[in-house]
Amino acid sequence: MTRDTSSRQLWAASGAIFAAVVLLMMGLWQLVMGIVAVVRGSFFVVTQNYLYSFSTTGWGILHIILGALAALAGLALFTGSTWARAVGIFFAVLSATANFFFIPYYPFWSLLEIAMAVFVIWALAVWRPRIEGSMGTSPDDTTDLRGTAQMR
């Protein structure tokens, strides 16, 4: 592995740990935002003539479901498994999409959630943890969440 590639992988592995925490937080924040939308729909101001206008209760239910699933995906990312990365990317994309359509209701928060989702997608897509016994590691090595080999 070249120095540039290993440096990139170190950033991506560190980013993957951060992405797991961020996805967990995003999920919890969306869950809270969804509960607020369902309980106090008047909290959000709806703009007039918005093309994708839904009731705040509908948005609230969507955010509750996405938030709970994104939080679970964030927890699963701590295993470092490939399926958890795929699920994390999937729910980050769904979260960014839902928040894009939610911009007229709560612009600052929606844009913040979109920016965090983009970082999560990048970190999880770039991170390539080494697998035990694969090229470049010996069978006595194991891989931790950061993608670095540790001797047993």
Side-chain angles (χ1 to χ4, degrees), residues 37-56:
V38 170
V39 174
R40 291 192 65 199
S42 62
F43 177 79
F44 298 103
V45 178
V46 182
T47 59
Q48 293 182 8
N49 301 324
Y50 180 53
L51 182 60
Y52 303 107
S53 181
F54 298 104
S55 72
T56 53

Side-chain angles (χ1 to χ4, degrees), residues 103-119:
I103 288 174
Y105 298 90
Y106 208 173
F108 177 75
W109 196 258
S110 295
L111 292 173
L112 178 66
E113 289 263 345
I114 291 169
M116 291 186 335
V118 168
F119 175 78

